[in-house]
Amino acid sequence: MNKKIIILAMALALPLTVAASSGDKNHVGGHHGNRIEHMTKSLDLTAEQKTKVEALFKEQGEKSKIIHEETQARLQSVLSKEQLTKMTELKKQRHEKWQKNMKH
């Protein structure tokens, strides 16, 4: 049972952690900025459309951050202290692996 809770918690938390922890990428720059530029070129967006797409991505980032924070708070009420510590370590390892892969 505990394994199922941990797996569920990680399945919920890790993708949200990546989305929310990369706060600098939720604004118009970073990944979303690249996506906006790609969409602008590929779809021949007008200036007005580009502005609206930027606003949509910003809103999406803000919602993701809120969901992440809510999930983290709820996890704290579900998982034991040991499980939370282990989850934090697993997130750290995953983040380090991700950073290493991004450098190559």
Side-chain angles (χ1 to χ4, degrees):
M1 179 72 169
N2 283 340
K3 280 187 175 184
K4 288 181 182 179
I5 291 173
I6 292 172
I7 291 170
L8 175 62
M10 293 196 50
L12 293 172
L14 290 176
L16 295 174
T17 301
V18 172
S21 69
S22 55
D24 63 322
K25 294 184 182 188
N26 287 332
H27 65 73
V28 177
H31 172 71
H32 289 299
N34 293 337
R35 186 163 47 165
I36 292 168
E37 290 308 314
H38 179 72
M39 288 177 68
T40 300
K41 291 176 185 174
S42 299
L43 302 175
D44 195 29
L45 299 180
T46 65
E48 181 182 359
Q49 288 173 317
K50 183 178 177 181
T51 300
K52 288 179 180 181
V53 169
E54 289 170 343
L56 287 171
F57 286 150
K58 182 178 179 186
E59 181 182 342
Q60 176 190 15
E62 291 167 356
K63 286 180 180 179
S64 293
K65 183 177 179 182
I66 291 168
I67 291 169
H68 171 73
E69 291 169 354
E70 289 174 356
T71 300
Q72 293 304 307
R74 292 174 72 186
L75 284 172
Q76 289 181 8
S77 69
V78 172
L79 300 178
S80 71
K81 198 170 208 173
E82 293 81 17
Q83 290 169 324
L84 286 168
T85 301
K86 185 173 183 177
M87 187 178 76
T88 300
E89 181 59 32
L90 291 170
K91 284 194 282 187
K92 181 181 173 187
Q93 290 173 6
R94 180 179 168 123
H95 182 73
E96 289 170 356
K97 183 178 178 182
W98 175 79
Q99 282 184 322
K100 183 180 175 183
N101 289 338
M102 292 302 291
K103 290 180 181 179
H104 291 94

